[in-house]
Amino acid sequence: AIVKTFERDVTFGIPGATRPGAIGLIVPPNLTTKENIDHLVMEIDIANATGKIADNFKWPTIGKPPERYPFTVTEAIHGSFPYDTKVMERELKTLDYFGFNNAIHKVVGSNTWLTKNNCYSQPDIEGMKVAAREIAAQFYKTGAKPENIAWIMQMDEPQGQPLEHIAQCPACTAAFREWLQQQKVPLADLGATSWDAVKPVVDGKVNPALYYYSQKFRVHALGKFLAIQHDIAAAAYGVNAPTSPNFSDGATYAANLYMMGIDYFDLLDSTSQSGDVQNALWSENWGNGDAGSQCTTYNVELMRSAAMKAKQTIGQYLITYYGRLPWDIKLNAVSQAARDVKVFDSFWYGPSWAGHEGGTPWRSSAWHSRPFNWYANAELTREFGGSEDLLYTAKKSPSPVGIIYSSSSDIWTVGLTTAFGFDRLFTWTALTHAQIPVDFLSEKTLAQDSLKNYRVLYLSGPNLAHAAADKLVKWVKDGGTLVITAGAAARDEYNRPQTTLDEILPGTRGEVVNFEGFVGASGYLGMLHPKESVSTADHNASLDVLCVKQSLTPKAGSEVLASYADTNPAYLSWKIGKGRVYQSGFLPGLSYIFPAITARKKLETEVGKINPTDIPDATKVVAPEALLRRTQGPWDYPAAVRDLITAPVRASDAHLPIVCDTPLVDAVLMESDKGA
């Protein structure tokens, strides 16, 4: 049967240069129900219905759309597809209400992800040059100017090359040897007597040193490949714009950079043939599986810290669809701008009838079809524009507190456990919740003795490069405060037992007991089962012990700050030289996040599943429901555990530029020539 008929006169182009255009017809899986017949529509029907809502929407009146600060949106309106001019005009009018500045700033491509034999060590340089020139020519044919380019995007979500490829590839083997010689790695460290015997390996069982460097080479090879592309794209476009692929924020899922072979710190040290360092890093705040969207700011903090030395530009996809809530969208944008993100792109707008992202139009998650998200997105652009005279040039102020990011620990725990990585992540969370600014420091930074501006450092994870451990001991004796968790730095970068830190620790360490394994995303930490508890000496705090436990035997002169349930010491402190060391036999970061996750899960069980779009006016629902409608993350963090984690900073001489009387406020000082 004929269930519906349409008549259209469709043109594409501008007056005087029009031609037949395309019709967008939305066809559901079958036409046997009224519901599906109602879904059988044309794109102009959706565009006009959405436009009517937009024309009558109460838009924000604060601030102004940004001009200097690149805040763009990914949409499917522009492009080569010959959409109906009437549809285009309607959709562009709707989009204009939001205030994005795509017309001023553009994210462009380079088309240079070209290799021979699918190998980063074999870049197709001539092919890259041709492809880059072609796409740059297309860009300039539109009348665009170099200053329009906010970013040159190389590709989406690359990873370090698999070890299986590197170990079997002659080109990678040759590049691996050359790189090790440039690093002046002694042959003796590699268990070899000649360079001909040095080859990448897949695991660390036979030759741990070669495995360590094989993992590091994954990052080096990618970094060099990216830097070559940067030079070619810069030559083609005639401008040295920030250039990077979009790196997945997958490192936050396991709090381990080597899960994907993307070590930001090593990556930004890689150079191209011309000697230019990679000039940018870009990621996204999906945070799928994370224990709250703040974990994606942790990813940005890592990028910012890696870029501190050479001042590379940081960019970010702000994920605004797929069930994202207005409050979380705004918090992500603001907290990540506070960590020096200087280019944002809102992803994914739609329209709901165009493109595969977000699903079919009648249940699309593109925020084009989610008016409850409109105000937050429109408010963001106006807030950024209204403050851009200060915000765009401002940088996060230097911090007196650092967290050591041990790539060695990541290399030796990847795929085995995520407990130590999440201890590091949620230690950062606790510090951030107490307005304590944090930098992440690589092992290379420690080894180069760049610690004079830091008063307190936190360390978690079983491995630490020997050279870094040596400098850490000296830094403590010279007056630094070190906070160290279960089993930290007990092994070196080659996974050999290491006793370097033993002399400065207030307790003699027993074996680390892994009583419950965990490999997964942080959102599932609530599935763990505490097997032990810790009480502070003043009985102000009781903590769950998760995943690992280590016995501590106090040395003479040390102070017991907390004990296990059997009264044995769990947390010690002492003064050594001019400095101080705090030592725990558990992972306090896990003790901080676990009750927060379980509190939210408990509330979800009591209230039931909440759809934030069911009741647009959240003020008319009871408080627990309002909280669930506001954010997808936890909020009921244990204050006593936070106090335990942050106490070493409070007791030190570290200057904190901002102190709030309310916890959980993400307050970050940024400074520029024009003010703070």
Side-chain angles (χ1 to χ4, degrees):
I2 296 174
V3 297
K4 191 176 285 189
T5 61
F6 301 88
E7 289 187 13
R8 287 280 293 280
D9 182 11
V10 181
T11 57
F12 170 73
I14 58 176
T18 58
R19 56 188 174 88
I23 294 173
L25 181 64
I26 313 304
V27 185
N30 63 69
L31 297 171
T32 61
T33 67
K34 181 182 183 304
E35 181 184 28
N36 278 348
I37 291 172
D38 290 342
H39 291 327
L40 177 63
V41 297
M42 289 190 162
E43 87 282 36
I44 196 167
D45 300 321
I46 298 174
N48 286 335
T50 306
K52 185 177 180 180
I53 298 173
D55 292 342
N56 293 291
F57 196 78
K58 185 179 179 181
W59 296 100
T61 58
I62 62 167
K64 66 178 182 64
E67 297 176 10
R68 189 177 182 190
Y69 204 119
F71 205 134
T72 62
V73 62
T74 297
E75 39 78 10
I77 303 170
H78 294 89
S80 58
F81 197 75
Y83 293 127
D84 183 357
T85 300
K86 292 185 179 67
V87 175
M88 285 281 288
E89 290 173 347
R90 175 63 262 186
E91 290 291 12
L92 288 172
K93 180 182 178 183
T94 300
L95 182 58
D96 282 347
Y97 284 119
F98 294 98
F100 295 103
N101 57 16
N102 292 42
I104 303 172
H105 302 285
K106 292 182 181 293
V107 176
V108 299
S110 65
N111 281 17
T112 52
W113 203 270
L114 301 172
T115 65
K116 298 174 183 177
N117 302 316
N118 194 28
C119 177
Y120 295 156
S121 298
Q122 302 176 68
D124 181 1
I125 292 178
E126 289 307 311
M128 288 179 180
K129 290 179 178 178
V130 171
R133 285 196 295 265
E134 287 177 352
I135 195 170
Q138 293 172 12
F139 173 75
Y140 287 124
K141 193 178 292 185
T142 66
K145 299 178 180 179
E147 54 266 30
N148 285 142
I149 300 175
W151 202 277
I152 299 175
M153 188 66 68
Q154 292 169 307
M155 73 103 68
D156 191 47
E157 299 188 10
Q159 298 188 22
Q161 206 122 42
L163 288 175
E164 289 77 8
H165 166 88
I166 292 172
Q168 297 175 8
C169 174
C172 285
T173 297
F176 180 64
R177 291 169 180 163
E178 180 184 357
W179 172 66
L180 289 175
Q181 291 175 62
Q182 290 171 349
Q183 301 295 303
K184 295 182 171 53
V185 177
L187 275 172
D189 282 9
L190 306 174
T193 56
S194 73
W195 285 106
D196 289 341
V198 174
K199 296 180 180 180
V201 297
V202 174
D203 63 57
K205 295 176 183 176
V206 176
N207 192 321
L210 277 179
Y211 173 73
Y212 169 78
Y213 286 113
S214 296
Q215 285 280 18
K216 301 277 273 189
F217 179 75
R218 296 174 67 201
V219 181
H220 168 76
L222 174 60
K224 190 150 187 163
F225 182 59
L226 293 175
I228 290 170
Q229 291 184 69
H230 160 263
D231 293 350
I232 291 171
Y237 280 105
V239 59
N240 186 26
T243 304
S244 170
N246 168 43
F247 292 111
S248 167
D249 65 341
T252 65
Y253 302 164
N256 187 313
L257 290 173
Y258 279 84
M259 185 180 84
M260 293 187 170
I262 309 293
D263 185 328
Y264 300 137
F265 298 96
D266 281 352
L267 197 66
L268 294 187
D269 281 339
S270 299
T271 59
S272 69
Q273 291 173 341
S274 68
D276 291 335
V277 294
Q278 186 183 340
N279 70 348
L281 282 176
W282 182 292
S283 188
E284 54 194 11
N285 55 26
W286 272 103
N288 291 338
D290 285 347
S293 61
Q294 190 168 19
C295 295
T296 66
T297 295
Y298 170 84
N299 182 54
V300 174
E301 194 89 271
L302 286 174
M303 293 195 296
R304 180 198 64 81
S305 297
M308 281 193 303
K309 182 178 179 181
K311 298 179 174 59
Q312 287 92 346
T313 304
I314 306 298
Q316 183 86 330
Y317 280 126
L318 179 65
I319 304 301
T320 46
Y321 81 123
Y322 206 71
R324 269 43 182 190
L325 303 178
W327 193 271
D328 284 340
I329 290 170
K330 290 203 66 181
L331 287 177
N332 283 342
V334 172
S335 72
Q336 288 157 27
R339 274 81 183 180
D340 298 348
V341 173
K342 296 305 178 187
V343 184
F344 276 104
D345 185 271
S346 176
F347 187 92
W348 149 263
Y349 170 74
S352 59
W353 52 264
H356 72 282
E357 290 278 357
T360 56
W362 56 87
R363 56 170 176 260
S364 175
S365 66
W367 61 270
H368 168 273
S369 60
R370 302 285 173 135
F372 79 97
N373 267 345
W374 286 7
Y375 194 90
N377 283 282
E379 198 174 34
L380 267 178
T381 58
R382 289 159 172 81
E383 289 174 341
F384 273 71
S387 61
E388 65 183 353
D389 59 327
L390 282 173
L391 181 61
Y392 187 59
T393 59
K395 290 285 189 180
K396 182 182 176 184
S397 298
S399 171
V401 179
I403 296 177
I404 297 167
Y405 199 103
S406 169
S407 296
S408 298
S409 278
D410 278 18
I411 287 171
W412 289 105
T413 61
V414 66
L416 299 176
T417 179
T418 55
F420 298 103
F422 285 134
D423 181 52
R424 183 169 53 199
L425 191 162
F426 293 111
T427 294
W428 169 83
T429 304
L431 293 167
T432 299
H433 285 172
Q435 300 92 43
I436 296 173
V438 175
D439 293 336
F440 285 97
L441 307 178
S442 69
E443 291 167 298
K444 187 174 182 179
T445 298
L446 265 67
Q448 292 174 340
D449 204 14
S450 305
L451 300 177
K452 61 181 180 180
N453 295 324
Y454 294 95
R455 307 309 310 141
V456 184
L457 294 178
Y458 288 76
L459 175 61
S460 183
N463 299 79
L464 186 68
H466 185 73
D470 278 341
K471 291 297 175 64
L472 196 56
V473 169
K474 181 179 184 303
W475 172 80
V476 168
K477 291 180 176 179
D478 287 344
T481 295
L482 175 65
V483 186
I484 189 170
T485 64
R491 306 184 81 84
D492 69 6
E493 67 268 43
Y494 301 155
N495 210 29
R496 300 173 299 196
Q498 176 172 243
T499 59
T500 307
L501 297 187
D502 287 1
E503 65 169 304
I504 64 169
L505 298 181
T508 302
R509 301 192 281 190
E511 290 296 316
V512 175
V513 178
N514 293 281
F515 55 77
E516 184 174 21
F518 183 77
V519 177
S522 60
Y524 300 99
L525 285 167
M527 299 170 65
L528 291 173
H529 305 87
K531 300 289 180 65
E532 176 66 274
S533 63
V534 166
S535 297
T536 55
D538 55 13
H539 302 291
N540 284 338
S542 178
L543 297 79
D544 291 316
V545 176
L546 300 152
C547 292
V548 304
K549 174 187 175 181
Q550 185 176 42
S551 62
L552 303 177
T553 303
K555 297 177 184 176
S558 66
E559 179 184 1
V560 178
L561 302 178
S563 301
Y564 294 116
D566 61 7
T567 71
N568 285 318
Y571 191 34
L572 306 171
S573 175
W574 77 345
K575 187 172 174 47
I576 179 78
K578 298 178 181 178
R580 179 168 286 277
V581 176
Y582 295 81
Q583 178 188 11
S584 66
F586 57 102
L587 302 178
L590 299 189
S591 304
Y592 186 59
I593 189 62
F594 179 75
I597 293 175
T598 53
R600 182 185 171 101
K601 295 295 183 186
K602 181 175 182 291
L603 184 59
E604 288 175 338
T605 301
E606 293 171 353
V607 173
K609 187 173 178 62
I610 289 290
N611 183 344
T613 63
D614 286 345
I615 306 174
D617 186 357
T619 63
K620 295 181 179 179
V621 297
V622 296
E625 289 188 8
L627 287 168
L628 291 175
R629 291 174 188 281
R630 174 175 288 183
T631 179
Q632 292 170 329
W635 57 83
D636 193 6
Y637 290 90
V641 180
R642 181 172 58 251
D643 290 344
L644 181 86
I645 292 173
T646 60
V649 178
R650 306 292 185 197
S652 75
D653 59 356
H655 170 68
L656 304 179
I658 298 174
V659 178
C660 297
D661 61 5
T662 302
L664 308 188
V665 178
D666 188 11
V668 179
L669 177 65
M670 303 182 76
E671 295 178 289
S672 73
D673 292 342
K674 294 186 176 181

